[in-house]
Amino acid sequence: MADKTRGGQFIVKETKCEDVFTPEDFNEEQLMMRDSVKEFVDKEIWPNKIRFESKDYAFTEETMRHAGEMGFLSVAVPESYGGMGMGFVNTVLVCDYISGATGSFSTAFGAHTGIGTMPITLYGTEEQKQKYVPKLASGEWFGAYCLTEPGAGSDANSGKTKAVLSDDGTHYKITGGKMWISNAGFCSLFIVFARIGDDKNITGFIVENDPNNGITMGEEEHKLGIRASSTRQVYFLDTKVPVENMLSERGNGFKIAMNALNVGRIKLAAACLDAQRRVTSGAVKYANERFQFNTAISQFGAIRYKLAEMATSCYAGESATYRAAKDIEDRISAREAEGTSHQEAELKGVEEYAIECSILKVAVSEDVQNCADEGIQIFGGMGFSEDTPMESAWRDARIARIYEGTNEINRMLSVGMLIKKAFKGHVDLLGPATKVQEELMGIPSFDTPDYSELFAEEKEMLTKLKKAFLMVAGGAVQKYGPDLEGHQQLLIAAADILIEIYMAESTILRTEKLAKKMGEDQVKEQIAMAKLYLYKAVDVVTQKGKESVISFAEGDEQRMMLMGLRRFTKYTNMPNIIGLRETITTKLVNENEYCF
């Protein structure tokens, strides 16, 4: 399989714009899918926002049934189990556009199609899949996922829920409490993780929701956001589960949970995109209609700054999410072409890009919060009122940084997984890191490069930022070796550099591809967004790189690395940042919406 299909490679390889998939590459089928999802949201969800905000759980369930009738719950399910059997990009696309109006529905949808159905599709036996997946795909049944416990959050494998085999060996009895269970109030089936005996790892089970079988629930939780998403504690007391309902094999539960979360992470990133589009469009419309000092506030620099930044983050999030989605889809196809089963191919395909999934989860969940926050600010006092959709967007956005693994965990995972891949020989980090060290000893070149081609300087800048990452991460690995895991602040700083590189590169490659297709003058706003995003990324790399170097290196080594960092973050020609923002906002204000 070609090298291009390895996750994490972006940090040591140059990617060509022809090799990335972008939202401008959607085919007819994908565009039709997108439009039918948008129509569904605009008709059934957006006008009923108030019902979601007033905790109308029954309405969430009803809307989910409609989504099932439309086929939206079955996009990722193979045709043999009543699904549409569409590719990974389509799965991400539906998740993106169905999630923009309210976090309540988005959570119900994500919990059901992702962690509620997918573990059976990916790990179930043929019998389990035939029995359960068609009902879940159609929306006749809904699924929920019981992993978290009062004492087991980020440390998911530490759960205390027990599964005890009956004397006659026909079933397990499950006892324990689970919390924060999305869809608990209306689900027909749980994926439950429990420990058998003193096993090191938990085991997964498919448990039908039958109140006569020792299953009880707490009241609906009162939450900051996602108010009409049903969230309850679920208690099992000697709940009988037939042995044939064990998912995969004994002790494999932790692996199932982690892989389900990998897929969940990229889908969570996608689920934050349309919310950003809608918030940005809402803010632009308001800024055009709101007059102060006899002028539309969209003409004021302070507001124009915000609109440009909101649009840029959204555009970057789209660029990176669809790039990774297609890489995963290609990896799945390549595995299937080699004769691997669909189950195995999908598992391995997503696992291969687990680093990118973690990066996206962190970046896009933080962007959607900033976007909603600025949305409130642009609306001023009205933004703080429940009469405008900004405050609910802000509250709903907050959970995205917590579930599917907190952003702190995902930051550490992204760098940790990259280092593991390097030790396994899947990504050559050592070679390039050594080269960077040699380069630091050498004399820098003082040639004036030719930057006449679009993004020539930006791409050189990306190459230098990758060197900065290799210098910082390489230096930290050299100093601490396997103990690096204990140095969380260093890992997090390295992760911030890694994240910015992936997001900036994805944005530049998408725009370069677009410019080659349309002509530069047709996409000058997108070019401005790519340049603006990179400039901000360079700032982050400068700050986090410096923080790391001065914390783990001293003396000559520290001086040399700081000099290297300055070299690796230095523009030859600084971009005019206010000019870039003006270009972006002029287009937004004229179009009266997010239009990219």
Side-chain angles (χ1 to χ4, degrees):
M1 228 176 286
D3 233 4
K4 169 190 178 289
T5 60
R6 304 245 54 157
Q9 281 284 14
F10 72 90
I11 196 68
V12 289
K13 290 245 187 300
E14 190 189 339
T15 306
K16 299 219 177 328
C17 72
E18 292 75 18
D19 293 336
V20 298
F21 180 84
T22 74
E24 290 77 30
D25 296 324
F26 291 149
N27 60 29
E28 280 305 305
E29 177 190 68
Q30 286 161 336
L31 291 170
M32 276 167 64
M33 196 74 193
R34 181 193 69 184
D35 293 343
S36 65
V37 173
K38 275 165 83 169
E39 190 186 353
F40 172 77
V41 172
D42 288 333
K43 270 222 302 258
E44 305 216 14
I45 301 181
W46 190 259
N48 292 303
K49 235 177 138 60
I50 196 137
R51 292 182 72 175
F52 289 106
E53 290 316 306
S54 55
K55 305 187 182 181
D56 189 339
Y57 302 107
F59 185 64
T60 300
E61 182 181 355
E62 186 190 317
T63 315
M64 281 288 286
R65 293 227 183 271
H66 283 178
E69 286 157 21
M70 299 283 294
F72 299 147
L73 305 181
S74 73
V75 177
V77 173
E79 290 178 48
S80 41
Y81 310 108
M84 290 193 187
M86 290 183 162
F88 196 76
V89 172
N90 290 56
T91 303
V92 168
L93 177 79
V94 171
C95 199
D96 169 354
Y97 283 92
I98 211 161
S99 301
T102 164
S104 297
F105 181 81
S106 160
T107 300
F109 177 85
H112 169 73
T113 55
I115 50 184
T117 305
M118 204 175 44
I120 307 179
T121 328
L122 295 184
Y123 285 96
T125 61
E126 192 52 42
E127 293 71 33
Q128 289 168 345
K129 287 188 288 193
Q130 294 289 359
K131 184 174 179 184
Y132 295 115
V133 176
K135 289 178 179 166
L136 293 165
S138 67
E140 180 191 338
W141 279 26
F142 292 120
Y145 179 85
C146 300
L147 177 63
T148 306
E149 298 181 13
S154 293
D155 182 6
N157 204 23
S158 64
K160 302 271 184 284
T161 299
K162 288 275 173 221
V164 180
L165 188 61
S166 62
D167 295 339
D168 63 1
T170 59
H171 59 267
Y172 284 91
K173 284 185 178 170
I174 291 184
T175 300
K178 298 287 183 178
M179 71 189 306
W180 310 128
I181 307 308
S182 297
N183 295 354
F186 58 80
C187 75
S188 326
L189 170 155
F190 300 105
I191 307 285
V192 182
F193 295 91
R195 193 177 310 278
I196 302 172
D198 295 326
D199 287 3
K200 177 171 171 262
N201 291 325
I202 50 183
T203 299
F205 295 90
I206 303 170
V207 182
E208 294 183 26
N209 183 9
D210 172 5
N212 301 320
N213 187 15
I215 300 175
T216 51
M217 305 219 179
E219 288 301 302
E220 288 285 357
E221 299 283 356
H222 299 286
K223 309 184 294 290
L224 170 71
I226 56 169
R227 288 183 169 172
S229 150
S230 170
T231 314
R232 294 182 169 196
Q233 294 203 13
V234 181
Y235 305 100
F236 301 96
L237 180 62
D238 287 335
T239 300
K240 290 181 174 178
V241 185
V243 287
E244 58 269 22
N245 273 29
M246 182 190 284
L247 198 51
S248 184
E249 58 221 41
R250 178 172 175 169
N252 221 7
F254 186 59
K255 198 173 177 186
I256 297 173
M258 291 305 101
N259 279 323
L261 291 175
N262 284 336
V263 185
R265 281 165 188 155
I266 184 169
K267 288 171 77 175
L268 181 64
C272 294
L273 293 175
D274 199 49
Q276 289 183 75
R277 291 186 202 104
R278 286 174 185 263
V279 166
T280 304
S281 290
V284 172
K285 284 184 173 62
Y286 185 81
N288 276 336
E289 288 160 16
R290 170 79 170 161
F291 275 70
Q292 290 292 281
F293 313 105
N294 292 331
T295 310
I297 65 169
S298 60
Q299 297 309 309
F300 295 131
I303 301 292
R304 294 174 78 83
Y305 171 101
K306 293 180 190 309
L307 293 173
E309 296 287 344
M310 289 158 80
T312 299
S313 292
C314 182
Y315 180 75
E318 291 171 351
S319 309
T321 302
Y322 284 102
R323 172 190 182 181
K326 183 68 162 80
D327 282 341
I328 290 171
E329 182 170 297
D330 288 347
R331 181 81 182 177
I332 293 168
S333 307
R335 288 236 168 215
E336 286 184 323
E338 289 171 358
T340 314
S341 73
H342 173 73
Q343 260 174 305
E344 184 70 5
E346 184 133 337
L347 270 174
K348 292 290 181 223
V350 175
E351 207 177 334
E352 181 61 53
Y353 284 95
I355 294 167
E356 286 80 354
C357 292
S358 281
I359 286 174
L360 287 165
K361 192 273 175 181
V362 172
V364 188
S365 66
E366 291 179 2
D367 286 341
V368 74
Q369 186 86 58
N370 294 336
C371 181
D373 198 67
E374 292 290 37
I376 289 182
Q377 197 67 13
I378 289 168
F379 272 68
M382 282 308 293
F384 205 70
S385 160
E386 286 187 5
D387 296 337
T388 62
M390 290 295 158
E391 64 86 37
S392 64
W394 185 84
R395 284 185 291 98
D396 284 353
R398 188 59 187 85
I399 186 63
R401 282 150 54 200
I402 297 169
Y403 57 23
E404 308 286 351
T406 65
N407 284 12
E408 291 68 31
I409 289 279
N410 273 293
R411 278 186 160 88
M412 292 184 287
L413 269 177
S414 62
V415 178
M417 289 188 290
L418 186 61
I419 293 169
K420 276 202 183 87
K421 275 194 161 209
F423 284 132
K424 278 188 185 158
H426 292 180
V427 175
D428 176 17
L429 277 187
L430 217 63
T434 315
K435 278 207 183 85
V436 171
Q437 280 185 321
E438 288 164 9
E439 189 179 325
L440 290 180
M441 304 295 224
I443 296 162
S445 149
F446 294 107
D447 299 341
T448 317
D450 170 23
Y451 290 140
S452 52
E453 213 169 290
L454 175 67
F455 291 138
E457 178 163 7
E458 285 75 15
K459 282 157 117 183
E460 185 181 283
M461 202 71 197
L462 282 171
T463 305
K464 293 196 294 192
L465 295 183
K466 290 177 185 184
K467 287 177 181 175
F469 174 80
L470 291 166
M471 176 182 81
V472 171
V477 170
Q478 260 182 338
K479 171 138 192 190
Y480 298 112
D483 298 341
L484 183 59
E485 279 187 7
H487 297 268
Q488 292 193 349
Q489 294 189 47
L490 274 181
L491 278 177
I492 285 174
D496 282 330
I497 298 175
L498 188 69
I499 289 166
E500 290 306 325
I501 291 170
Y502 188 70
M503 301 302 289
E505 180 178 73
S506 301
T507 310
I508 286 168
L509 293 174
R510 172 188 182 180
T511 311
E512 185 190 8
K513 190 174 187 180
L514 193 57
K516 283 184 175 176
K517 189 165 118 188
M518 311 282 291
E520 287 177 39
D521 50 337
Q522 293 301 304
V523 293
K524 53 180 197 296
E525 295 82 14
Q526 286 92 330
I527 291 172
M529 287 193 284
K531 289 182 172 181
L532 176 61
Y533 194 94
L534 178 68
Y535 177 80
K536 312 253 316 217
V538 172
D539 265 359
V540 174
V541 176
T542 305
Q543 184 200 340
K544 299 292 177 180
K546 183 175 170 187
E547 183 187 306
S548 305
V549 169
I550 59 180
S551 300
F552 75 75
E554 40 203 27
D556 283 345
E557 186 192 16
Q558 186 192 90
R559 275 192 294 278
M560 187 177 76
M561 285 177 124
L562 288 175
M563 206 173 69
L565 186 65
R566 278 196 296 276
R567 196 193 298 177
F568 295 147
T569 50
K570 186 171 176 286
Y571 276 93
T572 307
N573 307 291
M574 284 284 193
N576 172 351
I577 291 303
I578 294 177
L580 294 177
R581 286 197 199 104
E582 276 301 312
T583 300
I584 299 160
T585 308
T586 301
K587 173 91 167 166
L588 289 168
V589 166
N590 290 342
E591 300 277 341
N592 204 27
E593 64 176 359
Y594 177 83
C595 49
F596 302 110

